[in-house]
Amino acid sequence: MVIEQGVHPHAYPHLASLQARLNGQGFKTRLDSSSLIVIARQDEGPRLADTITCRRRDSDGGRLWFWTSWGEPIAEAEHIVDAAVIIAANLGPQP
């Protein structure tokens, strides 16, 4: 696999672990070298999706974090379960 310039070399394994977790929860996903597309589990209505990236967070000592497509931090990359819960909530049914 070719890693895109500017992508942290450890991003892909974290994204792959997150993909496995989300697939187990019924989400559809697509992983490439720098991002993970996550599609909501909805059978009806609009299909919600987000593109998750994994990059350093300067305000946390440069640790790797998962990020939403709109630039919001999700969770530290070592916290796969926490990230999956937050992503599921973001893509879940809205009241």
Side-chain angles (χ1 to χ4, degrees), residues 40-51:
R41 299 174 289 198
Q42 295 176 290
D43 293 330
E44 299 177 14
R47 302 282 299 176
L48 299 176
D50 197 5
T51 301

Side-chain angles (χ1 to χ4, degrees), residues 25-52:
Q25 294 178 351
F27 287 91
K28 293 184 180 186
T29 62
R30 185 176 59 100
L31 178 62
D32 65 27
S33 64
S34 63
S35 64
L36 175 65
I37 297 172
V38 182
I39 302 170
R41 299 174 289 198
Q42 295 176 290
D43 293 330
E44 299 177 14
R47 302 282 299 176
L48 299 176
D50 197 5
T51 301
I52 308 302

Side-chain angles (χ1 to χ4, degrees), residues 18 21-22 25 27 38 41 50 52 57 65-68 70 72-76 79-92 94:
L18 181 59
R21 183 71 182 194
L22 290 168
Q25 294 178 351
F27 287 91
V38 182
R41 299 174 289 198
D50 197 5
I52 308 302
R57 184 173 186 181
W65 276 63
F66 294 113
W67 297 81
T68 66
W70 55 92
E72 295 292 323
I74 299 170
E76 192 174 336
H79 300 179
I80 301 295
V81 173
D82 294 343
V85 167
I86 292 167
I87 292 166
N90 287 345
L91 295 178
Q94 303 301 311

